[in-house]
Amino acid sequence: MSERFVVVPVDGGVGVAGEGEHLDAVVADPTPDAGGSCSSAGGTEEEKEAGEDSVFEPQDPNAVVPILEYNREPNKYGDGVPKENSPFINNTDNDKGNSYDGTNMALFEEEMDSNPMVSSLLNKLANYTNLTQGAQEHEEAEDDEGPKKKAVKSPQMGTFMGVYLPCLQNILGVILFLRLTWIVGTAGILESLAIVGLCCSCTMLTAISMSAIATNGVVPAGGSYYMISRSLGPEFGGAVGLCFYLGTTFAGSMYILGTIEILLTYIVPKAAIFVAEKKEDEAGALLNNMRVYGTCCLALMAVVVFVGVKYVNKLALVFLACVILSILAIYAGVIKTIFEPPDFPVCMLGNRTLQNHNFDRCLKTEVIDNVTVPTKLWKLFCDGPELNATCNDFFVNNNVTSLQGIPGLTSGVISENMWSDYGPLGMLVESKTLSSVGGSDPAQDIYMPYVVNDITTFFTLLVGIYFPSVTGIMAGSNRSGDLRDAQKSIPIGTILAIVTTSIIYITCVVLFGACIEGVLLRDKFGDSVKGNLVIGTLSWPSPWVIVIGSFFSCCGAGLQSLTGAPRLLQAIARDGIVPFLQVFGHGKANGEPTWALLLTAGICEIGILIASLDAVAPILSMFFLMCYLFVNLACAVQTLLRTPNWRPRFKYYHWALSFLGMSLCLALMFISSWYYAIVAMAIASCIYKYIEYRGAEKEWGDGIRGLSLNAARYALIRLEEAPPHTKNWRPQLLVLLNLDSDQGVKHPRLLSLTTQLKAGKGLTIVGNVLEGTYLTKEAEAKRAEQNIKSSMSTERTKGFCHVVVSSNLRDGFSHLIQSAGLGGMKHNTVLMAWPGTWRQSNDPQSWKNFIETVRETTAAHHALLVAKNVDSFPTNQDRLGEGTIDVWWVVHDGGMLMLLPFLLRQHKVWRKCKMRIFTVAQMDDNSIQMKKDLQMFLYHLRLDAEVEVVEMHDNDISAFTYEKTLVMEQRSQMLKQMQLSRTEREREAQLIHDRNTASHATINDKTESGPERVHMTWTKDKLFTERNRNRECNANVAVRDLFNMKPEWESLNQSNVRRMHTAVKLNEVVVNKSQGAHLVLLNMPGPPKNRGGDENYMEFLEVLLEGLNRVLLVRGGGREVITIYS
């Protein structure tokens, strides 16, 4: 994708048109411009042609074209600073105050801080700098910003030096020299080609995916970790980054073990500290020598890396030369075998291969001066040097023959090496072409100088051992900062390197099988050819070329692993996504990762203590395969999501190839070692979950976030198709919060209740309304949102925050109730706190808003929960002891009253509480049958609760009820008719209170002594029935007597009297039964249809809740929310 940028000159500037770089990943921030002038261009033919499209003609013919030099700073990305969230690179506060003096662009001058001139953008791009990962200059620059920042040279490396050769050096290595001949001999040519084909296909497919990611914008130094974390998010990035780090660290162990194996086995075998006196102890002695020498070598290499990385980098070319010379020596040796095969005889006893260490002639006896004398070989199999000594039966029955170890390319040995020869530990290496006489005695064979398998061999084991020889494909992307054109060099160089190494491996497999005798191929340590390196016997001009070359190659690879791994760990630590790794982000004054180097050396030592190259190789295979798997996954996800920013310059990729590569990686993990694969996945999963719960929140525009959005969209569309079934119904809460004057949450316990009710399940939207206009309250709204999110985090409330700015609170809450949520993911329940100070408030809007909210939730068919005394509710840290949650089931509301206690008891705060259900029996109800029916109903609902039926009989309306009603109406009328000042209102309220005190005490005495007979109803039919019954019983006589006591009672609204009677009597019963309960749930009566009685409604509720501590008023949403069916 190529865009054409035309730069329009302003105030003396000139226009430059040219092909622009891909800029949406890299954009620069504004710099101080005088009059909009920038780096000018003009005078050249190309630009005169381009200038024809410009508004103005070029004015400075002598100006030169600026060259955009891309030097990318790695740690500007993802280091946890806000710079990454800015659309501009190196965005600094100093740029905010830039003055703009131009007049032609005055229309845009107020937006210059956030939207710079294109000239300024291009100027910053030209000055955008970058250094390689771990470069000292960059790390010093990180610490010393400003004028101390060193100037760095622009990157000049091309494809060959910058990508191809580093990849070649990292891919070719220890396995090629030390194990490939053994793999070919054990697996056979055909299965060896299958192993090479599998592994090389895996890395080729990964390279294609990696090329697509690496060319989709700028990839700073950080390589695969950067690519995966920015494509799949911080959780995957951190998990895979640490796996890649562990893989690189264990690779260092493998290279060091390879170095020591070459040193002790082929260069100076006499340097061994532990020497086995018996043949069966040789394996253990070798491992102990590897541990001692490996630890010393690791310490030496760590010191070298600590002292100076520059020396390691300078020697890289020398190490690469060693690798290339060694490979050329192998090919030269193969060609030489056509004309003159080298002389490396292998001594065979029958069909068994002998270790050729302690004898020089492959003979049982020899004639010296016409006298037959036994050879050294005789002494190895017989009790003594005498010809009549007792000898091993197999030795007596079979002849000794000598085979040519390297018969040559034209010998036809390729047909014998075509098939596999797997076997258990201790199996003798035998020739397929020779025969033997007599049986063997396994008990004796282990003491004889035979060549045997040192490990059990099978196909999948060889895959795990071989795979590290194809790793190293990330070397090019890790050096992206050094490349002249990374987006061109990385794909070409990496793929060419893989093709080259694949050809080398395939030809080596075929040539080894065609040139070398099968028994020598299966001789891992060259014991049958006097301890020579098997691949060295094939090389020309001397085996020492390979031995020395492979030794330095392994040294160099080990040093580079110890150099790269700490810097990778440092990059992860500096990203801040794994809190416990923060300490490893620090280093020396020049930025060298000292602490990370120490940890790397410690982990590397674990690999060295394992001591076996064959045991360490599958471990690092797992970690590299997991890394490659996620590179493929990242490419596939980005391709399928088709995110707007996914525009790689490398076009030869497809999501199917990425999925194939991912599947191949997964298959190879389990083929190599299923238990190592499970361990590696467990480590990655633990890191993933740790970052998810404890890590820093990062927004990197990653593919997993895009995938989540697509999945959410799909799920929302599916949810829209039909409302949820009763079995799936759970309260999806809209929590209406109040904030104080400082935008702090006034009732944080409301969020605690939300957490206890939801237990992290379903939808929670926490809403708040600010009064005003959005233009003036924007900053305040953002601050309120941050405070609410902080409180939600503290109270562990998982959900969304929604702050609305509205001209008045009433409309704001209405908008929230109507529009919160999206599609099928909308709230069905509103939770709010009881306005406890509504009586003291000067503004009646506080309780009017509350009542209107109740009406709107009813109209919207939402359930409503109102928490009274919410500040006394338990926190999430509290653990309530033995107690009860009391449910007063007066009217059926769809089952909300039964469902809520069940949900609360799922949380550890309420787990020990028992549930009690009270229901009200009318005068003509059979309370015994009601109790049985209710118990059966609860049994079918699978709810455990105690059941109690409260009988509430008909009773005269008490004088206390009339007095309460009178006080309520008087207060209401006085506030309506008189515009009292605040002090006068308070005085009036106190006067009413004093008048009420005496009668309250008198009536209480009466009610306590009288029988508890209360008529309680909530339905219209029962109301009329009971009213008629009252008339028949001449109950009005008592009422008239009351009116005679206080004539003003007669003028009271009888509807209000009845409602007050209900509130008073129900309150007496609830207080009597549930005053000690941890929580009381109660049906919430609806507000009056006539808005004139709103204030009276608040009084009714106050009377109903009087004397109760924690109360949750519940109002159903008009649908069943609990069912007896499965």
Side-chain angles (χ1 to χ4, degrees):
M1 180 175 180
S2 180
E3 301 91 352
R4 182 179 174 117
F5 290 100
V6 179
V7 181
V8 182
V10 179
D11 286 352
V14 297
V16 179
E19 292 299 313
E21 286 287 309
H22 177 65
L23 289 179
D24 52 338
V26 183
V27 238
D29 61 346
T31 51
D33 290 326
S37 62
C38 64
S39 300
S40 301
T44 62
E45 289 296 320
E46 293 80 8
E47 283 168 335
K48 287 179 182 176
E49 292 173 8
E52 293 173 6
D53 296 329
S54 304
V55 179
F56 299 99
E57 292 296 325
Q59 297 182 6
D60 184 3
N62 299 319
V64 293
V65 183
I67 298 173
L68 302 186
E69 296 178 348
Y70 284 75
N71 297 319
R72 309 169 185 89
E73 279 189 77
N75 287 322
K76 290 293 181 187
Y77 292 82
D79 55 0
V81 296
K83 295 178 184 177
E84 185 169 353
N85 297 329
S86 169
F88 303 107
I89 289 171
N90 303 336
N91 191 19
T92 61
D93 294 334
N94 297 333
D95 295 334
K96 298 294 182 187
N98 292 345
S99 58
Y100 180 71
D101 301 327
T103 54
N104 292 355
M105 291 294 166
L107 189 61
F108 301 97
E109 64 185 2
E110 291 185 358
E111 301 177 0
M112 285 298 162
D113 282 344
S114 57
N115 303 328
M117 293 290 296
V118 175
S119 58
S120 173
L121 178 141
L122 293 177
N123 185 40
K124 290 298 288 184
L125 273 179
N127 295 322
Y128 177 34
T129 60
N130 181 342
L131 295 167
T132 61
Q133 178 183 10
Q136 297 175 18
E137 294 86 357
H138 160 64
E139 289 161 340
E140 289 172 0
E142 280 273 301
D143 297 329
D144 305 318
E145 293 290 343
K148 295 182 184 178
K149 198 165 186 175
K150 297 184 181 180
V152 289
K153 297 178 181 178
S154 59
Q156 295 297 327
M157 296 180 78
T159 304
F160 185 76
M161 290 295 293
V163 180
Y164 180 75
L165 288 182
C167 283
L168 213 62
Q169 181 186 0
N170 279 266
I171 294 171
L172 299 171
V174 62
I175 301 294
L176 169 64
F177 300 123
L178 295 184
R179 293 291 182 270
L180 192 57
T181 52
W182 173 71
I183 289 172
V184 173
T186 306
I189 294 173
L190 292 179
E191 290 187 26
S192 297
L193 288 175
I195 293 172
V196 172
L198 269 175
C199 297
C200 291
S201 300
C202 174
T203 53
M204 177 60 81
L205 292 169
T206 304
I208 291 171
S209 299
M210 185 193 73
S211 298
I213 298 172
T215 59
N216 186 50
V218 178
V219 177
S224 58
Y225 162 69
Y226 182 89
M227 288 190 289
I228 293 169
S229 62
R230 271 52 177 185
S231 297
L232 292 180
E235 293 89 359
F236 277 109
V240 181
L242 285 175
C243 282
F244 191 52
Y245 162 74
L246 290 173
T248 310
T249 305
F250 275 104
S253 299
M254 185 185 73
Y255 291 129
I256 292 172
L257 290 174
T259 304
I260 302 305
E261 185 177 310
I262 294 167
L263 180 72
L264 293 181
T265 311
Y266 307 114
I267 299 179
V268 279
K270 293 182 179 178
I273 298 173
F274 301 91
V275 180
E277 296 181 1
K278 299 179 182 179
K279 181 177 180 294
E280 60 268 25
D281 298 331
E282 286 178 359
L286 176 63
L287 294 181
N288 287 330
N289 284 318
M290 299 279 276
R291 291 183 181 110
V292 173
Y293 278 96
T295 303
C296 296
C297 183
L298 172 63
L300 184 64
M301 286 186 175
V303 169
V304 170
V305 171
F306 179 78
V307 169
V309 182
K310 59 183 179 181
Y311 303 113
V312 178
N313 293 330
K314 286 178 181 177
L315 289 171
L317 204 58
V318 177
F319 299 140
L320 176 61
C322 291
V323 176
I324 294 172
L325 283 174
S326 300
I327 292 170
L328 292 176
I330 293 168
Y331 284 114
V334 169
I335 296 170
K336 185 174 179 290
T337 62
I338 300 173
F339 314 106
E340 185 186 345
D343 183 28
F344 284 99
V346 176
C347 191
M348 309 292 295
L349 177 62
N351 64 348
R352 299 179 181 179
T353 313
L354 298 176
Q355 292 185 351
N356 192 356
H357 287 301
N358 299 319
F359 60 91
D360 49 2
R361 295 196 179 191
C362 188
L363 296 168
K364 290 184 179 180
T365 60
E366 59 181 341
V367 178
I368 301 176
D369 297 331
N370 293 325
V371 178
T372 302
V373 294
T375 61
K376 292 182 180 179
L377 181 61
W378 178 282
K379 298 172 185 176
L380 295 174
F381 285 90
C382 301
D383 292 343
E386 300 83 14
L387 290 174
N388 60 354
T390 304
C391 296
N392 179 272
D393 291 341
F394 192 84
F395 180 74
V396 173
N397 296 332
N398 291 277
N399 292 324
V400 174
T401 55
S402 182
L403 276 182
Q404 189 53 257
I406 302 177
L409 193 60
T410 56
S411 64
V413 76
I414 187 170
S415 59
E416 299 170 15
N417 293 329
M418 199 63 73
W419 311 108
S420 62
D421 190 9
Y422 301 116
L425 170 67
M427 187 187 82
L428 302 175
V429 175
E430 298 175 340
S431 172
K432 299 173 185 176
T433 57
L434 298 177
S435 60
S436 61
V437 179
S440 61
D441 182 5
Q444 293 295 321
D445 289 343
I446 60 171
Y447 301 107
M448 298 297 112
Y450 297 128
V451 177
V452 297
N453 280 359
D454 66 328
I455 58 172
T456 302
T457 54
F458 42 90
F459 178 80
T460 57
L461 172 80
L462 298 186
V463 174
I465 292 174
Y466 173 76
F467 188 81
S469 66
V470 297
T471 60
I473 61 172
M474 299 289 184
S477 63
N478 288 347
R479 294 166 176 259
S480 59
D482 296 330
L483 302 175
R484 191 181 303 117
D485 185 356
Q487 296 187 357
K488 176 184 174 185
S489 297
I490 288 175
I492 296 172
T494 304
I495 291 171
L496 275 180
I498 292 173
V499 169
T500 306
T501 52
S502 300
I503 291 170
I504 290 172
Y505 285 130
I506 290 169
T507 54
C508 281
V509 167
V510 175
L511 292 175
F512 292 164
C515 294
I516 305 175
E517 182 64 44
V519 290
L520 181 55
L521 283 173
R522 294 195 295 280
D523 182 2
K524 185 187 287 186
F525 300 109
D527 290 324
S528 61
V529 285
K530 296 188 179 295
N532 276 300
L533 181 61
V534 175
I535 198 173
T537 61
L538 185 63
S539 66
W540 179 88
S542 166
W544 286 99
V545 175
I546 296 283
V547 172
I548 301 300
S550 58
F551 178 79
F552 282 113
S553 168
C554 291
C555 277
L559 280 170
Q560 288 189 328
S561 293
L562 286 178
T563 304
R567 279 159 181 74
L568 179 59
L569 182 63
Q570 188 181 43
I572 297 170
R574 286 184 171 177
D575 255 353
I577 57 173
V578 186
F580 70 84
L581 290 181
Q582 294 288 349
V583 66
F584 299 109
H586 308 297
K588 291 195 297 185
N590 62 356
E592 287 295 312
T594 311
W595 294 107
L597 178 60
L598 287 174
L599 180 67
T600 303
I603 297 172
C604 206
E605 178 64 16
I606 296 172
I608 286 168
L609 291 177
I610 295 172
S612 170
L613 188 68
D614 303 317
V616 172
I619 296 175
L620 65 103
S621 294
M622 287 307 115
F623 291 124
F624 278 120
L625 277 166
M626 184 166 288
C627 179
Y628 296 167
L629 184 150
F630 282 104
V631 169
N632 283 298
L633 177 62
C635 180
V637 166
Q638 297 276 33
T639 307
L640 289 174
L641 286 178
R642 298 176 183 172
T643 50
N645 190 48
W646 180 247
R647 300 187 297 276
R649 290 196 178 279
F650 179 77
K651 300 298 181 187
Y652 305 102
Y653 68 94
H654 193 268
W655 64 266
L657 290 177
S658 298
F659 268 116
L660 181 60
M662 187 177 71
S663 306
L664 199 52
C665 288
L666 191 63
L668 282 172
M669 285 177 71
F670 282 93
I671 286 172
S672 302
S673 174
W674 63 268
Y675 45 91
Y676 277 156
I678 291 172
V679 169
M681 287 181 163
I683 292 171
S685 300
C686 291
I687 297 168
Y688 178 96
K689 297 307 289 183
Y690 177 81
I691 295 172
E692 188 177 41
Y693 284 110
R694 297 291 306 278
E697 289 291 329
K698 298 283 183 181
E699 172 51 70
W700 286 334
D702 51 86
I704 292 297
R705 196 173 183 85
L707 197 61
S708 301
L709 286 171
N710 270 14
R713 181 186 63 86
Y714 174 76
L716 285 171
I717 290 172
R718 290 290 303 273
L719 281 175
E720 192 78 11
E721 293 173 2
H725 191 273
T726 303
K727 289 186 289 187
N728 294 328
W729 195 95
R730 65 165 61 245
Q732 316 285 11
L733 290 179
L734 169 62
V735 184
L736 300 180
L737 277 185
N738 291 325
L739 301 181
D740 55 28
S741 56
D742 296 327
Q743 306 304 321
V745 176
K746 196 177 284 187
H747 301 297
R749 296 288 177 89
L750 203 59
L751 295 175
S752 302
L753 177 61
T754 304
T755 305
Q756 294 155 23
L757 194 59
K758 301 290 291 180
K761 305 292 191 300
L763 174 72
T764 301
I765 302 172
V766 181
N768 176 252
V769 177
L770 296 180
E771 202 166 0
T773 62
Y774 187 69
L775 290 177
T776 58
K777 296 275 187 176
E778 179 191 3
E780 204 172 321
K782 292 279 172 56
R783 189 165 69 252
E785 190 170 340
Q786 287 301 319
N787 291 344
I788 292 173
K789 284 181 177 177
S790 175
S791 295
M792 289 173 69
S793 176
T794 304
E795 302 296 335
R796 297 179 184 174
T797 305
K798 295 180 180 179
F800 308 99
C801 176
H802 196 176
V803 176
V804 172
V805 181
S806 178
S807 55
N808 59 72
L809 296 179
R810 159 88 181 75
D811 290 345
F813 284 121
S814 175
H815 295 156
L816 272 177
I817 291 169
Q818 292 177 61
S819 62
L822 181 63
M825 201 66 174
K826 293 181 75 72
H827 62 277
N828 55 28
T829 307
V830 177
L831 172 63
M832 58 196 298
W834 171 260
T837 58
W838 70 274
R839 280 176 172 164
Q840 290 77 32
S841 174
N842 297 326
D843 185 8
Q845 282 302 120
S846 63
W847 53 266
K848 285 184 178 178
N849 288 340
F850 173 79
I851 297 174
E852 288 303 312
T853 304
V854 174
R855 286 196 175 101
E856 293 202 347
T857 54
T858 305
H861 301 292
H862 294 332
L864 176 66
L865 308 177
V866 179
K868 182 174 185 282
N869 296 331
V870 70
D871 293 328
S872 69
F873 275 61
T875 65
N876 293 324
Q877 287 72 39
D878 293 338
R879 300 290 179 270
L880 296 180
E882 298 292 336
T884 61
I885 300 176
D886 287 359
V887 176
W888 284 85
W889 192 19
V890 181
V891 294
H892 183 58
D893 59 351
M896 275 286 286
L897 280 169
M898 257 81 73
L899 184 62
L900 292 175
F902 170 77
L903 294 174
L904 281 174
R905 289 177 63 211
Q906 304 304 304
H907 197 275
K908 48 195 171 185
V909 171
W910 303 90
R911 193 162 290 156
K912 293 183 180 179
C913 296
K914 293 181 179 178
M915 180 176 166
R916 294 194 302 180
I917 295 185
F918 297 90
T919 190
V920 176
Q922 305 299 329
M923 198 168 63
D924 53 350
D925 290 330
N926 185 341
S927 59
I928 297 174
Q929 187 61 41
M930 275 183 70
K931 184 171 183 177
K932 289 181 179 177
D933 292 342
L934 182 54
Q935 285 172 336
M936 183 57 65
F937 181 54
L938 291 175
Y939 175 77
H940 287 305
L941 289 176
R942 291 90 65 202
L943 294 175
D944 296 324
E946 296 178 15
V947 174
E948 189 170 338
V949 177
V950 178
E951 296 183 355
M952 304 188 72
H953 304 293
D954 180 32
N955 191 15
D956 299 336
I957 298 175
S958 67
F960 175 65
T961 302
Y962 278 104
E963 188 65 26
K964 274 279 189 185
T965 311
L966 178 64
V967 170
M968 175 186 74
E969 290 196 353
Q970 284 179 346
R971 181 178 184 277
S972 178
Q973 289 173 6
M974 287 165 64
L975 291 178
K976 285 177 183 176
Q977 294 171 1
M978 301 171 60
Q979 298 297 324
L980 299 176
S981 66
R982 179 176 179 180
T983 53
E984 289 171 330
R985 287 186 187 181
E986 289 175 355
R987 192 180 306 122
E988 181 65 22
Q990 185 62 41
L991 176 63
I992 294 171
H993 176 73
D994 294 341
R995 288 173 55 192
N996 182 39
T997 303
S999 64
H1000 181 78
T1002 307
I1003 300 302
N1004 269 349
D1005 293 340
K1006 177 182 174 183
T1007 55
E1008 286 172 9
S1009 60
E1012 185 183 314
R1013 300 196 318 114
V1014 183
H1015 169 62
M1016 160 63 207
T1017 182
W1018 290 97
T1019 63
K1020 187 180 291 185
D1021 294 339
K1022 287 186 180 287
L1023 176 64
F1024 286 130
T1025 302
E1026 299 303 330
R1027 186 180 296 169
N1028 292 335
R1029 188 180 288 128
N1030 288 345
R1031 288 191 184 120
E1032 290 170 5
C1033 298
N1034 294 321
N1036 289 333
V1037 176
V1039 174
R1040 281 196 296 274
D1041 292 342
L1042 285 172
F1043 288 164
N1044 291 334
M1045 291 169 59
K1046 292 240 181 164
E1048 60 267 31
W1049 288 355
E1050 193 170 6
S1051 62
L1052 291 176
N1053 184 323
Q1054 291 303 304
S1055 173
N1056 286 344
V1057 173
R1058 288 194 308 275
R1059 289 172 187 268
M1060 183 63 77
H1061 173 70
T1062 300
V1064 169
K1065 289 304 174 188
L1066 184 57
N1067 173 259
E1068 287 178 4
V1069 177
V1070 173
V1071 169
N1072 183 39
K1073 297 283 187 181
S1074 301
Q1075 193 163 22
H1078 285 316
L1079 179 65
V1080 177
L1081 282 86
L1082 186 64
N1083 284 114
M1084 181 178 184
K1089 293 181 180 178
N1090 177 17
R1091 281 180 166 76
D1094 282 357
E1095 187 175 358
N1096 298 340
Y1097 172 70
M1098 296 295 288
E1099 288 284 358
F1100 296 145
L1101 291 182
E1102 279 283 7
V1103 171
L1104 180 63
L1105 303 178
E1106 192 175 354
L1108 297 172
N1109 184 21
R1110 297 185 192 128
V1111 185
L1112 195 62
L1113 288 172
V1114 180
R1115 189 163 170 75
R1119 61 163 293 169
E1120 293 294 327
V1121 300
I1122 195 167
T1123 177
I1124 63 174
Y1125 299 106
S1126 62

